[in-house]
Amino acid sequence: MIRLHDVELSGNCYKVRLFAALAGIPLERCPVDLAAGEHRTPQFLALNPWAQVPVLVDGDLVLRDSQAILVYLASRHGDPGWWPDDAASQGRIVQWLSASAGEIQSGPASARLVEKFGYDLDKADALRRSARLLERVDAHLACHEWLELGRPTIADCAVFPYVAWAHEGSVDLKPFPAVRAWIARVQSLPGFLSAPGIQHAHDRAGDGHCSLQIKSKTEP
Ligand SMILES: N[C@@H](CCC(=O)N[C@@H](CS)C(=O)NCC(=O)O)C(=O)O
């Protein structure tokens, strides 16, 4: 059985759980108690010297970093649609994996760290970055049903958690109707796995008027 060293409220862990659920890949979850410092114990550091979750263990392979884990799981255990083997498709998807580890971490994920977990980070900066990021993502999703390739891929799984949790960092998604419509589409995928605090479309204020309006389709 593939093991995931995991924290329920971590968006990086949720990316992996979400993809595994959607792709029908069974995972054994091994909860890590960050508050108790379990990620700094010798046992955990032997698995991941970077002292971070998630960590995936599949046989002899030990992998850290949610993006790396998504690529591995999709390549090794997933249907090819999630991570096609042609270079152009992979490049398109990696654009979003990079955003997930970059702009999303310094935007909505950081705002949530301040608001929900009391981290000493620059909240105003995180909110500015969130607005800039969401404007770009919203413009993209206004004319694309999914982030790339016209279908769900690991790009959607990488971006979903911290965008869907944006409200936990006081990042308002109301100005971004295409983002809200995409969240609802991800939530309606067969096998979708939720997480604590993820709101459903009908719970989000203003979503009654949020229908999908794709302006043009540019996917190949
Ligand atoms: N690039 C890594 C970042 C992992 C990461 O920052 N994990 C956080 C939880 S979301 C963590 O383990 N934090 C513990 C700490 O930094 O002390 C990934 O995408 O998995």
Side-chain angles (χ1 to χ4, degrees), residues 10-12 15 34 39-40 51-54 65-67 162:
S10 153
N12 290 312
K15 294 173 198 175
L34 292 185
H39 56 310
R40 298 214 169 82
Q52 290 177 331
V53 289
D65 187 85
S66 52
Q67 288 64 231
Y162 290 116

Side-chain angles (χ1 to χ4, degrees), residues 139-159:
H140 180 78
L141 286 169
C143 49
H144 298 80
E145 194 172 5
W146 302 99
L147 289 175
E148 292 298 337
L149 311 184
R151 63 171 181 271
T153 66
I154 58 172
D156 301 281
C157 299
V159 170

Side-chain angles (χ1 to χ4, degrees), residues 7 9-16 32 34 39-40 44 48 50-55 64-69 97 100-101 105 109 112-113 119 162:
V7 169
L9 297 181
S10 153
N12 290 312
C13 295
Y14 181 34
K15 294 173 198 175
V16 178
V32 177
L34 292 185
H39 56 310
R40 298 214 169 82
F44 190 89
N48 182 7
W50 290 39
Q52 290 177 331
V53 289
V55 178
R64 63 171 170 80
D65 187 85
S66 52
Q67 288 64 231
I69 293 170
L97 302 189
S100 167
Q105 288 293 323
R112 178 171 176 262
L113 282 176
Y119 275 53
Y162 290 116

Side-chain angles (χ1 to χ4, degrees), residues 30-209:
C30 307
V32 177
D33 188 347
L34 292 185
E38 193 182 338
H39 56 310
R40 298 214 169 82
T41 59
Q43 293 90 327
F44 190 89
L45 291 172
L47 273 182
N48 182 7
W50 290 39
Q52 290 177 331
V53 289
V55 178
L56 188 92
V57 181
D58 187 11
D60 291 340
L61 178 72
V62 180
L63 270 185
R64 63 171 170 80
D65 187 85
S66 52
Q67 288 64 231
I69 293 170
L70 288 177
V71 168
Y72 169 75
L73 277 181
S75 308
R76 177 81 180 77
H77 297 286
D79 178 279
W82 293 100
W83 172 251
D85 65 6
D86 70 283
S89 297
Q90 292 184 349
R92 284 170 180 255
I93 291 171
V94 171
Q95 298 176 111
W96 295 101
L97 302 189
S98 286
S100 167
E103 289 85 347
I104 291 176
Q105 288 293 323
S106 58
S110 291
R112 178 171 176 262
L113 282 176
V114 176
E115 185 92 7
K116 189 172 171 75
F117 301 104
Y119 275 53
D120 184 18
L121 299 172
D122 185 341
K123 174 94 185 282
D125 182 61
L127 291 176
R128 267 192 304 274
R129 289 171 183 271
S130 300
R132 198 164 56 218
L133 166 85
L134 287 163
E135 275 164 26
R136 291 173 179 162
V137 178
D138 198 68
H140 180 78
L141 286 169
C143 49
H144 298 80
E145 194 172 5
W146 302 99
L147 289 175
E148 292 298 337
L149 311 184
R151 63 171 181 271
T153 66
I154 58 172
D156 301 281
C157 299
V159 170
F160 182 85
Y162 290 116
V163 170
W165 263 329
H167 61 282
E168 293 197 341
S170 298
V171 175
D172 187 5
L173 292 183
K174 273 199 209 77
F176 307 111
V179 168
R180 289 185 286 118
W182 168 79
I183 289 173
R185 281 198 290 287
V186 173
Q187 289 176 322
S188 64
L189 287 171
F192 174 78
L193 178 75
S194 196
I198 295 287
Q199 296 175 331
H200 281 271
H202 51 80
D203 298 329
R204 283 194 301 270
D207 269 12
H209 303 291

